[in-house]
């Protein structure tokens, strides 16, 4: 019911002390890193996300080249941690999303510029024979292809036999302030669109047969969320004015579970809200910066300093 | 205060019978055409738009080629009406907006594909000597150029001396349902961004010295508007449940002037709402269709069937 | 050795009367249509192309909307002929090439805008339950993905089980004048890049298990070909001046088999010529027109007038 | 007559010791820098370029991030040298070319990402009040706008009064090997297209009233040049075989002035060669790298480390 792709936001909305959800925040390599672990089916249901580990890295400063470099290095370092213990000898990077829509283009833009070596290992064995085997694909979106992302990726994976899949995608956050400023990594894979439980859609170890790490950055917020925030703020303002504790509507609005209120708004906006998104006006600049962080982080995690990365 | 670029929406929000505002709807050439005339300074202030004529054409069916052709012909026909009595021998088409942001790209995409003849008249005088002189420019956006649109256009206009300027732009509407489905033409020109009263920004007869016709299509909605719509619907739902006419907050929310409530929401969302927009998830497909209608409508109005239009 | 993707050019270079190659030109539906049939292994070797049928349609006028419509209808009509007798109930359209390189982008641009129905048949069975099942994919290029096109397409095809594959691609012609002005259809499939005999690369009935129709338009010419043309013209000019029939070099140049001379030039330009292409300066406008013809032709052949095609 | 935009190539074609042309090569800041000075009208006519200073910087390694950074720093350093003694308090960066054609897009891509401050000086005076005033514009190409580049730039310049113009453009080189690997800076400005002597086209101190520095990188080669190279190589090969010094055609071809032979080829290819270009197959990757070098070099020269450059 909660419209956020970020585990850290889902957890915040439920407050502390949910059983089956463990969270900690620490400084790692200069960045603030929050790890949310969903350890029980109950926690998974409460947060609306599969059991697993969700790591959130704050991007301190995406506007300067040095800030982006630091963010890319944090991404690389967290990615390497998440790859530990997994066979990462053959990696398929999947760029999700629609590259004709500015905020949705970052996954494709990053995946297209990952330095791929799979073909080079054969073509130039002396130079690349010992390189990690990396390939990439941008499967496109259902509306333009008629094919579920999971079907395309599984079909390709059965041919090229990766040992690990890394899916890169634009996410939706609850908060506008997280757009372009947070990286999420998870070992649970990804379910493009709203396709929970749709196995043709899901990219996960269960559907792919190999581990799937998902990397994403919020680029849009949900319209109903923005409306809900507006209402919260509006109520706050009105309460100050109308100090009437017996007021019924106010009590109703306040007394509601946050999720219930969101559900009501979501229903009110339906069917429009399902078909719209909210994004910042400078989304073109944000998308450029985010793609750069993603591709450099991926290249660093996958190849280190072993090769001069082509671009 | 009202965040819509459409005069027809501004008028709807004020109800019938505003002095200095005349409106009529009729069928013209198969399309529903609404004309709003703002005839007095008072009407201009009430609607937040300069005095002048605003013509709105409904796009009945943007999804089929025939529907787009019909819409382009309606645009051409209304544009020709608006050009009547004006010297349209030398036309400069100005494509406004940022072509790196999908919904904001339609003005540039249309202007770039208007068939320009200004240079051909000299290079190929036998073929184009008697063509209407058409040129086009895409001045870019302030954040990327550091130059106000009005300064660029005026500088170019002083060199090439057009007798008429047609500015093409993506608009913001109040209603999500108008996105990609309404054409607005006006003889008052345009004020890119929120720059009312900023003469370096404004494209109008006053600032340019020649008539300026603005053509636009709503491609985004204002985030505060969407929130306000959600609240209206929420109140509606709650009223049904809480049949308590003594309820104070409900009375407050209902009793407010719509504009006051909007202002409160806008303030609540500030500063974020100024920096975000709401757009449909299939904005890429909508933008393609809208650009096609705009460019074909412009080409038909400017050149008729005189030349095979190149694309 | 001959660097052209067009069977009609390969045949022209060998003159009339090659055994195993049959060719005829006729008017069909207003367009000039040339059919080259390669009927024997010997003919295949001579022309450097697999046995099969190659249909070439001249685009009379790509610059006017009516001309493009006529070309799209010719394409649709030839495509329907080629689909006859094949099971075309489930069609996968494959857009080949690199959409970041203007002349190489037409296959992807066309495939992305084919009206796909595969997912709609399930989601909206009343409307689309009886539609032909169409899907599309753009597998990308080896240098950016590390995966051979044939591997990607085969992997996807094994998941979605098309009964027919239509591959769309930009071609290289020998003659500059064919760029953007010729459509080639063939039932032999396609071999992206220079990968003859590379089964991971080839898209053909042999490698895919279902018929593969390839549709292409020349968008570039080979640099060595342009040089060779220059030399032919140069010799012509010099002969006029130096009427010396005993001249040895002239005799050598003239006496050479055209292919031998081309081979010499190709070798002279190596390794550069393998890595460069020649394209017209207005390739952006040509690519737009060609994509429009391709997508409209495909949509018409696949869906007829059954659905309003979205764009 | 010589089809190269690089002074260093024009000089090479004429050999050493042309009067009015001085050239020196040295290492500066790790890069090989060649300075060609054309000091007399005679030299200008011989090289087909206006009198002035042409600085060529070799890009040693565009493939690695460090190599691109070094190239950007060399560009910045040479640009600062060329700006010395000029009033660079208000700089207008002009991005030339057509951004829909991959090799022609680098000027626009670089100019769009120069950090512009002109509007910020007023909007945020505390932060940017002391910044160098930088603005940018992409005037588009004549075929799409109907307006000569020089007219647009002059019109804008008369409004915003820059003290210095920096024009950035893709160039044509004679040699394929210089594509993407050479930076040229000149204080003579630029003449887009073949418009020598066309004052509406030219961007120079004479036409603009303020100094114009042009920065460019070869992205295409001329088709006739490639043909001519092929012929040279072909003759070389044939000479080895046909050791016949009395051969007339060979003597003719050899005896010709290089320019005369080029002219003959150019004429032979006309009108096609005027309308085509040769470019590498990986031009998309090259264009990305070149844009990055250009924008970082410009930003460093214009702003130093004073501001965190946004992207």
């Amino acid at each position: 019911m909660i419209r956020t792709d970020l585990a850290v936001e889902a957890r915040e909305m439920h407050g502390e002390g949910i059983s089956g959800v463990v969270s900690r925040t620490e400084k790692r390599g200069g960045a603030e890193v929050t790890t949310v672990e969903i350890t029980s089916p109950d926690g998974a249901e409460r947060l609306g996300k599969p059991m697993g580990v969700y790591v959130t890295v704050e991007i301190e400063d995406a506007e300067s080249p040095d800030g982006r470099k630091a963010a890319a290095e944090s991404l690389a370092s967290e990615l390497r941690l998440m790859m530990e213990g997994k066979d990462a000898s053959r990696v398929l990077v999947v760029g999700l999303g629609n590259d004709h829509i500015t905020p949705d283009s970052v996954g494709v833009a990053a995946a297209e510029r990952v330095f791929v070596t799979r073909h080079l290992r054969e073509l130039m064995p002396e130079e690349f024979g010992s390189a990690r085997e990396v390939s990439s694909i941008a499967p496109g979106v259902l509306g333009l292809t008629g094919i579920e992302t999971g079907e395309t990726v599984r079909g390709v994976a059965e041919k090229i036999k990766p040992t690990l899949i890394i899916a890169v995608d634009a996410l939706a956050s609850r908060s506008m302030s997280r757009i372009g400023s947070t990286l999420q990594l998870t070992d649970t894979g990804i379910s493009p669109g709203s396709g929970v439980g749709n196995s043709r859609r899901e990219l996960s170890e269960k559907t792919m047969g190999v581990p799937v790490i998902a990397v994403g950055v919020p680029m849009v917020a949900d319209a109903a969320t923005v409306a809900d925030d507006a209402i919260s703020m509006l109520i706050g303002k009105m309460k100050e004015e109308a100090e009437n504790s017996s007021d019924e509507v106010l009590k109703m609005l306040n007394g509601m579970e946050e999720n219930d209120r969101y559900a009501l708004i979501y229903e009110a906006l339906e069917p429009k809200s399902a078909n719209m998104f909210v994004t910042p006006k400078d989304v073109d600049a944000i998308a450029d910066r985010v793609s750069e962080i993603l591709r450099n982080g991926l290249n660093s995690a996958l190849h280190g300093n072993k090769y001069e990365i082509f671009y």
Side-chain angles (χ1 to χ4, degrees), chain A:
Chain A
M1 185 53 66
I2 304 154
R3 290 278 291 251
T4 175
D5 291 326
L6 295 178
V8 73
E9 284 190 341
R11 199 201 62 88
E12 276 165 19
M13 292 168 72
H14 282 85
E16 303 293 324
I18 315 162
S19 83
V21 179
V22 181
S23 166
R24 69 179 175 282
T25 298
E26 62 205 296
K27 277 273 174 193
R28 281 216 290 252
E32 192 182 302
V33 177
T34 301
T35 307
V36 175
E37 257 178 282
I38 306 182
T39 56
S40 74
D42 186 48
E45 207 189 334
R46 295 284 283 280
L47 261 55
K49 316 224 157 293
M51 287 167 61
V53 177
Y54 299 81
V55 174
T56 305
V57 181
E58 299 306 314
I59 302 175
E60 306 276 317
D61 168 20
E63 297 199 348
S64 78
D66 285 347
R68 290 196 293 278
K69 199 170 174 181
E73 279 314 312
S74 289
L75 168 56
S77 149
E78 295 301 323
L79 206 43
R80 275 188 292 258
L81 276 179
M82 206 165 263
M83 286 157 66
E84 254 171 36
K86 296 182 173 72
D87 176 358
S89 55
R90 297 194 302 277
V91 176
L92 172 62
V93 177
V94 178
L96 295 167
N98 180 342
D99 66 346
H100 300 300
I101 298 181
T102 313
D104 204 23
S105 65
V106 296
V108 175
E112 274 183 347
R113 297 189 174 185
V114 163
F115 180 48
V116 292
T117 53
R118 185 171 170 271
H119 58 312
L120 299 177
R121 286 161 47 93
E122 196 171 309
L123 291 171
M124 305 159 77
E126 330 72 48
E127 280 180 74
F128 294 102
S130 66
R132 189 195 299 271
E133 182 182 309
V134 176
S135 56
S136 86
I137 189 169
V141 293
L142 181 64
L144 294 181
T145 63
I147 310 172
E148 295 283 1
T149 302
E151 293 180 286
T152 300
V153 177
R154 197 148 88 173
V156 173
E158 286 176 10
K159 288 289 155 226
I160 70 170
K161 310 278 184 211
T163 58
L164 173 69
I165 292 174
I166 300 178
V168 192
D169 202 5
L171 306 178
S173 61
R174 207 192 173 294
S175 156
M176 288 294 297
S177 68
R178 287 197 181 273
I179 290 181
S181 69
T182 297
L183 291 153
Q184 177 175 278
L185 298 88
T186 171
D187 60 2
T188 62
I190 209 158
S191 179
S194 49
V196 177
N198 180 333
S199 70
R200 288 178 308 168
R201 214 168 254 187
E202 207 174 308
L203 296 185
S204 66
E205 181 153 10
K206 201 181 75 188
T207 60
M208 295 295 139
V210 296
V212 179
I213 295 175
V215 177
V217 175
M219 292 299 294
V220 300
D222 172 42
T225 297
V226 172
D228 192 35
D229 285 350
I231 289 167
S232 296
M233 290 186 274
L234 192 63
I235 291 169
K237 281 186 174 285
M238 293 176 77
K239 268 208 269 191
E240 290 166 20
E241 295 168 35
E243 278 298 348
N244 183 347
S245 63
S246 73
D247 182 283
E248 195 169 328
V249 166
L250 206 60
K251 273 188 289 184
M252 270 179 63
L253 284 168
N254 265 331
M256 276 184 195
E257 283 287 315
E258 193 160 2
N259 281 352
D260 293 348
R261 200 176 73 200
Y262 175 87
L264 206 57
I265 292 168
Y266 186 80
E267 196 189 331
L269 285 173
E270 267 296 359
K272 286 188 290 180
S273 91
N275 296 314
M276 55 189 173
F277 62 82
V278 183
T279 203
K281 282 186 183 165
D282 58 342
V283 64
D284 56 333
I286 295 173
D288 279 345
R289 291 172 206 147
V290 164
S291 312
E292 182 186 327
I293 291 169
L294 288 171
R295 88 175 113 103
N296 287 334
L298 286 164
N299 278 327
S300 171
L302 295 173
H303 300 296
N305 300 316
K306 203 166 170 195
Y307 304 100
E308 299 277 19
I309 301 307
F310 283 6
Y311 62 128

